[in-house]
Amino acid sequence: MQDSEHSSDYQRIMPLTAEVAVSGTAYSFDMLFSYAVPEKLAAKTACGCRVLVPFGKGNKRRIGVVMKLTEGDTARLKPLVSLVDEEPVVSEELLRLALYLREQTFCTYYDAVKTMLPPAMSVSTKETFRLVKNFTGAGSLSPAAAELLDRLACITDNKELNAVIEEHIIENGRRLPDELCDAGAMDSDNVFRQAVGDAAVRMVRLSDKYMSAPESFDLTPKQKQVAEFLSEYGSAAVREAAYMCGVTESVVKRLCAGGAAEEYEAEVLRRVEGDAEEKRRPEDIVLSPEQQKAHDAVLAQLHERKPAVFLLHGVTGSGKTSVFEKLIDDTVKMGRQAMLLIPEIGLTPQILKRFRSLFGERVAVIHSGLSLGQRLDEYKRIKRGDADIVIGTRSAVFAPLSNIGIIIIDEEGERSYKSDSSPRYTTHDIAKQRCAYHNCALLLASATPSIESYYLAERGAYRLLEMKERYGNAPLPEVSIIDMNLEREAGNRKEFSRKLAEEISANLKNGEQSILLLNRRGYHTIISCCDCYQPVYCPNCSVPLTYHKKNDKLMCHYCGYVSPPVDTCPSCGSKHLKNMGFGTQKLEEELSTFFPSARILRMDADTTFSRYSYEKSFTDFRDGRYDIMIGTQMIGKGLDFPNVTLVGVLSVDKALYAGDFRSYERTFSLITQVVGRGGRGERRGRAILQTFIPEHYIMNLAAAQDYKGFYNEEIAIRRAMIFPPLCDMCIFCFSGNEDISVRLGAEAVLRLMNGKLRELQPKTPVRVLGPVRCSYGRINGKYRYRIIMKCKNSAEMRGFIREVLTESAKLKEMKGVALYADINGDVGV
């Protein structure tokens, strides 16, 4: 027993070392940095807490996150400056996930943690100094520190004092100010400010003194009225107390000033608005035999509490969402939590409405369309356990749930589930990690699964579930493929065929709605010169500018550049310019001319700026306030409008030749999904597919909704060309201000890679392609090149990639050139 007690005392006095992920580090020198934990902070310092640390030779203050705590000698370590958080902001599970993120996506430790937290939780720090009065240890200071102290002692204004010290630190570093603080001549304090504060309301309650002896207070009649109200209700908002008692807020304030009451702040949560449908009960959801079979298979796995991945392949309109609802209800009844991920912000209002009608306030929502404050407060609700169902887009996969039972990824084949900024993660991979930690099920679902997912299902890595019939045996839309070459030969120069015009007219006459997909926003998509045949390019990007009639501007859809219309060719000076191409704005104008009585709703990035524009527009369309909805791909997936009986696909030919091996997959998926928006009510739908290449097999397979036929064609091509899922692809992306510098840097890295591969002799085949200019060689002023490496995503190859990224930073050719690596990212941009 004595040995045990002695051991406990020994452990308590052993110094602590914190392994910290520090902000602002480059990947080439990123690591976990060791710091001593001061005795005064030891009791509160925990893994997952943010801290302020001295970093680098100048000891510049930086925010970091404690990733590990160990015991041992700390004599040579810098100490932590202070704690930002009094309790961890990242759980043990998410800290482990951050290590996985860094390993898989080649980001820094801090970026991995930062991506898991709401942007509103980011903090900035302001350091303030003050001189200590009656300091007696000047004799122990170095001459330089003593000289600085004498200079500071002459300053009487504290604001000026801090300005002088701040200027000194910028010019000379922190050595002398730190010496003054260590010697006790000066105190410093760090004030942390969160990007968005907690929302609070001023509350009032009776004081303990009044409660114990109310007769000792001489109150006015109005004050007595407030006191009686608070005595009955306990506490209330200041404004509410004044309103309920029919007095002004000044009466409440005087009551507090006299000591009879006291004010305090109470946290309030900024709610995500959205009306629920009429209250429903999960017990009332009736599943078809196919739906029930899929549901039961996943439910059995939920009861086993073992990690497993299911792929639910159901045709459009087969009722996948009803299966989700039942499974989530089963999960929460087990006392566990559920997560539903969707690919587009535009789908959120419709899905949120459905789930709130079933589960009420137990549902939290996370997506980038919310305000920073709303995202912060939804995060708090989840972390506190007030919400056990999370619905959101990609970033919601990091929601701080502590007991997950099921994760569902709807429309799982969408590329929006792949992050295109650091950390460049795939949502599916993160979901698998979380399912393994929580011993729960992952359900991937789509009418058009990704080739990779279906391949894994065929090989048995995923369990395949299929729903081949629409709910209620509703037939799939009848699809007509229109050859636009024949339309042009017949003299029809409009963007919609005669057949589509007839069908739109019939729908307007019958009071039915139509959806038209044109995946190009703007009015004219290209302004071209008739003499040199060059389009008018964005000055910052190798991308033609698009004319927008609404604001009479030329706009770049990549960097946001805006300019007035031009009447002279920038390349040759010719005045002969021609407007070419056709966007959603022009389609809206032509439809209005052709169908003057039609009520037209346009949905694209130009009409959905505001946070609630998706919700309002889709609700208005669903309620019958519009006859025709036209839009880009944002209207193509996941939406359910019972009165839509006609879908028109105006032009997707260009998407087939986007320069990416996934272009056929994306085109097939988009056509299949948008065609599936029709005929979801009582009446059968029709779809018109306009194309200049009607014989292309993608068009015919999409028209037939034949995913299996498409998969067989596509996997054969990928097998022959060795593309994913038959391999993994790591894309090394280079960018910089000068074309020649970027190209030379890429070539130098290629030599480095070849040398290292000869040394490594990897166990699996590796093929390196490039460097080549990216499809868009210049974006936002940066020239861009890439090297593609076909390999296997193994620990050996990730180690190789890390070495390349680290050592390339030392190459003289890479000066001024940025480099990142992305496994299985897009190659067609």
Side-chain angles (χ1 to χ4, degrees):
M1 185 68 177
Q2 288 179 343
D3 289 344
S4 175
E5 288 178 355
H6 179 76
S7 173
S8 177
D9 291 341
Y10 175 75
Q11 289 174 3
R12 192 164 54 248
I13 62 172
M14 279 289 287
L16 279 177
T17 298
E19 302 290 325
V20 178
V22 179
S23 61
T25 60
Y27 184 80
S28 57
F29 64 84
D30 182 57
M31 63 180 72
L32 293 181
F33 296 91
S34 299
Y35 289 90
V37 180
E39 191 173 339
K40 64 180 180 180
L41 300 179
K44 291 186 176 180
T45 303
C47 292
C49 285
R50 289 175 296 183
V51 290
L52 189 68
V53 298
F55 190 78
K57 291 182 179 178
N59 287 331
K60 186 175 181 181
R61 301 308 196 232
R62 291 195 184 179
I63 301 292
V65 178
V66 178
M67 303 293 285
K68 298 177 186 176
L69 285 171
T70 56
E71 294 177 342
D73 183 19
T74 60
R76 302 183 64 184
L77 299 178
K78 298 176 183 178
L80 301 179
V81 176
S82 62
L83 277 171
V84 177
D85 307 300
E86 293 192 358
E87 59 181 36
V89 293
V90 184
S91 67
E92 177 195 352
E93 180 211 354
L94 293 182
L95 285 177
R96 289 172 54 173
L97 193 57
L99 300 178
Y100 172 84
L101 262 179
R102 187 180 187 274
E103 162 75 12
Q104 293 287 334
T105 69
F106 314 106
C107 65
T108 65
Y109 285 106
Y110 188 81
D111 281 348
V113 175
K114 185 180 176 183
T115 199
M116 300 176 184
L117 298 174
M121 284 184 69
S122 62
V123 293
S124 57
T125 180
K126 176 74 174 176
E127 189 174 16
T128 58
F129 298 89
R130 65 178 183 84
L131 294 180
V132 175
K133 293 180 180 179
N134 304 319
F135 173 64
T136 58
S140 64
L141 297 175
S142 67
E147 182 182 341
L148 177 61
L149 180 61
D150 290 341
R151 180 185 168 198
L152 296 175
C154 300
I155 302 172
T156 56
D157 181 65
N158 199 54
K159 188 175 181 180
E160 184 183 350
L161 174 80
N162 278 276
V164 170
I165 296 173
E166 190 174 330
E167 184 180 351
H168 175 90
I169 291 173
I170 292 171
E171 293 180 358
N172 307 292
R174 299 189 57 95
R175 185 176 64 83
L176 296 182
D178 284 350
E179 183 180 342
L180 292 178
C181 290
D182 292 341
M186 187 165 67
D187 283 338
S188 71
D189 190 25
N190 294 284
V191 178
F192 300 105
R193 184 173 182 180
Q194 193 167 281
V196 175
D198 296 331
V201 63
R202 286 188 304 125
M203 302 287 289
V204 62
R205 62 191 169 202
L206 294 175
S207 65
D208 291 338
K209 188 175 179 182
Y210 178 86
M211 295 288 283
S212 60
E215 68 280 354
S216 63
F217 288 85
D218 184 20
L219 303 182
T220 67
K222 288 183 178 180
Q223 289 174 344
K224 282 183 180 178
Q225 196 174 347
V226 176
E228 289 170 2
F229 172 78
L230 294 176
S231 178
E232 182 178 353
Y233 291 99
S235 64
V238 171
R239 182 176 295 179
E240 180 188 10
Y243 174 79
M244 295 301 292
C245 296
V247 300
T248 63
E249 290 187 28
S250 61
V251 174
V252 181
K253 289 184 178 297
R254 286 195 295 271
L255 189 68
C256 294
E262 58 189 14
E263 279 192 26
Y264 65 99
E265 284 196 340
E267 183 186 27
V268 294
L269 297 180
R270 290 153 284 212
R271 302 311 310 276
V272 178
E273 299 300 328
D275 297 329
E277 294 177 348
E278 186 177 339
K279 190 68 179 171
R280 298 186 297 145
R281 298 186 311 161
E283 297 79 18
D284 295 335
I285 299 172
V286 179
L287 299 183
S288 68
E290 274 192 333
Q291 290 174 317
Q292 192 68 50
K293 185 177 178 182
H295 165 272
D296 292 348
V298 181
L299 181 60
Q301 191 68 35
L302 294 181
H303 285 299
E304 285 190 25
R305 296 197 174 221
K306 292 180 180 178
V309 183
F310 295 86
L311 176 62
L312 175 57
H313 175 216
V315 298
T316 55
S318 58
K320 294 183 286 293
T321 306
S322 295
V323 176
F324 303 161
E325 290 171 338
K326 291 290 277 186
L327 285 171
I328 288 174
D329 179 53
D330 294 328
T331 302
V332 296
K333 282 177 178 174
M334 293 178 187
R336 306 189 77 184
Q337 299 161 322
M339 182 187 298
L340 170 60
L341 303 178
I342 51 182
E344 298 280 352
I345 296 173
L347 300 178
T348 309
Q350 192 167 329
I351 291 290
L352 185 59
K353 188 177 288 189
R354 281 191 65 158
F355 277 82
R356 279 199 172 154
S357 72
L358 282 171
F359 303 107
E361 295 305 310
R362 302 175 71 176
V363 179
V365 60
I366 297 177
H367 61 74
S368 59
L370 303 179
S371 71
L372 294 182
Q374 286 175 320
R375 290 179 72 178
L376 175 64
D377 290 349
E378 290 293 279
Y379 179 89
K380 287 181 192 172
R381 290 180 62 222
I382 299 165
K383 193 169 184 182
R384 292 171 183 170
D386 296 339
D388 47 16
I389 300 168
V390 174
I391 294 175
T393 50
R394 182 179 66 223
S395 61
V397 75
F398 298 110
L401 295 170
S402 58
N403 184 21
I404 302 174
I406 190 169
I407 298 177
I408 301 170
I409 302 181
D410 193 20
E411 304 297 353
E412 67 86 29
E414 282 295 290
R415 292 303 291 175
S416 58
Y417 286 122
K418 177 74 167 70
S419 170
D420 56 5
S421 60
S422 183
R424 295 174 171 83
Y425 64 90
T426 301
T427 307
H428 299 52
D429 293 338
I430 304 301
K432 288 176 191 175
Q433 292 296 309
R434 300 204 71 180
C435 287
Y437 183 88
H438 291 275
N439 286 315
C440 68
L442 172 60
L443 176 60
L444 310 175
S446 181
T448 53
S450 68
I451 296 297
E452 289 85 349
S453 291
Y454 203 85
Y455 177 78
L456 289 171
E458 277 206 326
R459 299 188 65 182
Y462 296 171
R463 184 171 169 188
L464 181 63
L465 308 172
E466 293 188 293
M467 298 195 305
K468 299 178 180 179
E469 301 292 334
R470 279 192 153 191
Y471 185 73
N473 294 317
L476 287 165
E478 180 184 350
V479 182
S480 302
I481 298 178
I482 304 299
D483 185 350
M484 292 303 288
N485 297 296
L486 299 179
E487 292 291 311
R488 295 294 181 261
E489 289 176 11
N492 180 16
R493 314 306 299 177
K494 292 185 174 61
E495 286 301 311
F496 41 92
S497 62
R498 291 165 294 176
K499 170 78 169 173
L500 181 57
E502 290 171 8
E503 296 291 348
I504 292 173
S505 183
N507 261 29
L508 290 171
K509 183 178 179 181
N510 296 330
E512 298 170 10
Q513 292 175 304
S514 308
I515 289 179
L516 303 181
L517 173 80
L518 176 62
N519 205 20
R520 293 194 300 267
R521 64 188 176 102
Y523 192 81
H524 294 298
T525 53
I526 294 178
I527 312 297
S528 183
C529 177
C530 298
D531 291 336
C532 70
Y533 307 110
Q534 287 291 314
V536 177
Y537 281 105
C538 169
N540 306 316
C541 310
S542 52
V543 177
L545 291 170
T546 299
Y547 175 66
H548 287 243
K549 189 174 182 180
K550 184 91 171 177
N551 59 0
D552 193 32
K553 292 285 190 283
L554 293 174
M555 300 178 68
C556 175
H557 293 167
Y558 283 82
C559 73
Y561 172 82
V562 178
S563 81
V566 297
D567 54 13
T568 303
C569 174
S571 299
C572 70
S574 170
K575 296 282 188 180
H576 301 108
L577 299 179
K578 182 180 180 182
N579 297 326
M580 301 173 64
F582 193 90
T584 50
Q585 288 184 8
K586 190 175 182 184
L587 174 60
E588 180 183 25
E589 183 180 279
E590 286 204 1
L591 281 170
S592 297
T593 302
F594 209 74
F595 304 105
S597 64
R599 299 166 298 170
I600 300 170
L601 171 65
R602 176 164 59 89
M603 292 291 290
D604 56 31
D606 298 317
T607 62
T608 53
F609 286 123
S610 81
R611 193 173 301 137
Y612 304 110
S613 53
Y614 289 99
E615 181 174 2
K616 184 180 185 310
S617 297
F618 286 144
T619 299
D620 286 348
F621 186 73
R622 186 184 181 89
D623 291 344
R625 295 188 179 94
Y626 293 97
D627 304 307
I628 303 172
M629 177 163 62
I630 62 175
T632 53
Q633 63 184 7
M634 68 170 63
I635 69 170
K637 302 188 179 184
L639 298 169
D640 187 6
F641 301 113
N643 197 37
V644 171
T645 56
L646 175 66
V647 171
V649 182
L650 272 70
S651 177
V652 291
D653 295 356
K654 187 179 177 183
L656 286 170
Y657 309 107
D660 184 353
F661 72 92
R662 293 189 179 93
S663 57
Y664 279 15
E665 179 181 2
R666 288 177 184 161
T667 306
F668 175 85
S669 176
L670 182 58
I671 296 172
T672 302
Q673 293 277 6
V674 74
V675 165
R677 296 313 102 202
R680 300 172 79 91
E682 297 177 356
R683 288 157 290 194
R684 184 174 188 183
R686 299 104 63 215
I688 307 293
L689 175 55
Q690 298 183 173
T691 175
F692 286 95
I693 43 175
E695 70 285 351
H696 200 292
Y697 73 90
I698 292 293
M699 301 296 172
N700 289 279
L701 288 171
Q705 303 265 303
D706 183 3
Y707 175 82
K708 194 63 188 294
F710 164 73
Y711 171 81
N712 290 334
E713 293 278 356
E714 185 68 11
I715 200 68
I717 294 172
R718 296 199 188 183
R719 191 171 274 118
M721 301 297 292
I722 314 178
F723 280 129
L726 283 308
C727 71
D728 293 292
M729 290 178 65
C730 182
I731 304 153
F732 293 87
C733 299
F734 302 80
S735 63
N737 294 326
E738 297 180 1
D739 187 292
I740 185 65
S741 298
V742 181
R743 182 170 61 80
L744 292 175
E747 290 171 352
V749 171
L750 178 64
R751 291 192 294 272
L752 173 68
M753 291 172 66
N754 287 334
K756 285 196 159 296
L757 284 171
R758 282 193 293 270
E759 292 175 17
L760 181 64
Q761 293 293 309
K763 298 171 186 174
T764 53
V766 175
R767 185 175 297 179
V768 181
L769 308 171
V772 295
R773 195 187 302 272
C774 293
S775 301
Y776 295 122
R778 188 168 179 244
I779 294 289
N780 207 15
K782 301 287 186 182
Y783 292 92
R784 305 157 72 241
Y785 283 76
R786 67 175 177 237
I787 293 173
I788 295 176
M789 183 174 74
K790 294 183 179 181
C791 59
K792 181 176 176 58
N793 183 5
S794 62
E796 178 185 50
M797 290 314 301
R798 289 194 299 273
F800 167 77
I801 294 166
R802 280 195 298 274
E803 287 184 16
V804 169
L805 292 174
T806 301
E807 294 185 25
S808 65
K810 304 170 187 174
L811 297 174
K812 66 179 188 298
E813 294 91 344
M814 286 294 289
K815 186 176 181 181
V817 179
L819 168 62
Y820 68 82
D822 187 5
I823 290 187
N824 293 329
D826 283 337
V827 299
V829 181

